[in-house]
Amino acid sequence: PSQEWIQVVDPTGGTVPPGETGEIILRRGGHRFAYWDADGQAPHRDAPSEWYRSGDLGCFDSAGRLYVLGRLVERINRSGLHIDPGEVEAAICRLPGVADAAVVGVGDSVVGELVCACVVPSCDDPPTLAGLRGLLAPDLAHHKLPEMLRLLAGIPRSSLGKVDRNALRAIAGAPGAGERLRPPRESGRP
């Protein structure tokens, strides 16, 4: 991609050199956006620039190829609705029979990302996807309910104890592992 339209920047907005990680930003094109105060007199001071901040982390290599490496803030984007994995994880961890849980998005050609619950059971009778969804339904909006379930012996974590979301995505996206709802195009729901 042309670095005239896509750049990788540090937290101050400065362009980072090839090989260094930063946030991927995209030029908005020929349209500049401005927000005006309620009285219509002055541009809002937080008006966006000509660059769109994607929230994706990435880097260019020396040949100018762009690599997307992760997210600044972990969010699942399901049909344009943003889901905070922490909210879903907290709800799952309150359920009986759950020792630990983490939630990640798994790529889907219809809705963008499916919500995948990775659960460490605390008993010999592990939860099922239908059971999990039924218990979570009173507390979570429908679009936040897990559509995939992976039962694990442990949640992969970094040396600092944080969930290793890249490792978890690889586990969650493995074909044939765990339970999955019918694809949205078959069930008729987004």
Side-chain angles (χ1 to χ4, degrees):
S2 167
Q3 291 186 18
E4 179 180 328
W5 290 95
I6 299 174
Q7 291 185 5
V8 178
V9 298
D10 63 25
T12 67
T15 304
V16 299
E20 286 193 28
T21 300
E23 182 181 7
I24 299 169
I25 63 172
L26 310 156
R27 189 178 295 275
R28 292 182 187 266
H31 304 285
R32 296 194 69 135
F33 295 91
Y35 296 96
W36 296 85
D37 289 335
D39 61 7
Q41 298 301 313
H44 191 275
R45 65 180 170 174
D46 293 329
S49 73
E50 65 182 294
W51 292 94
Y52 169 73
R53 301 184 74 87
S54 71
D56 291 320
L57 291 174
C59 70
F60 281 105
D61 66 11
S62 58
R65 291 179 293 247
L66 177 66
Y67 294 87
V68 179
L69 304 172
R71 300 276 306 153
L72 281 172
V73 176
E74 291 297 332
R75 263 184 281 175
I76 298 168
N77 186 347
R78 186 187 187 288
S79 295
L81 300 171
H82 293 171
I83 300 164
D84 174 13
E87 176 188 3
V88 182
E89 291 166 358
I92 293 171
C93 285
R94 288 191 296 266
L95 299 177
V98 174
D100 197 7
V103 174
V104 293
V106 174
D108 180 76
S109 62
V110 176
V111 297
E113 289 182 293
L114 299 174
V115 179
C116 180
C118 299
V119 173
V120 178
S122 64
C123 60
D124 291 335
D125 188 21
T128 64
L129 181 58
L132 199 67
R133 288 174 59 86
L135 291 170
L136 293 170
D139 298 322
L140 295 174
H142 181 77
H143 71 278
K144 296 179 181 181
L145 295 175
E147 298 153 294
M148 299 173 68
L149 172 64
R150 300 290 189 256
L151 298 175
L152 305 175
I155 301 295
R157 297 191 181 274
S158 71
S159 60
L160 298 174
K162 290 187 169 195
V163 173
D164 183 343
R165 297 209 185 263
N166 288 332
L168 204 54
R169 275 189 208 91
I171 293 167
E179 290 183 71
R180 182 179 178 150
L181 285 181
R182 291 181 297 153
R185 64 184 146 273
E186 292 177 21
S187 66
R189 288 187 290 190

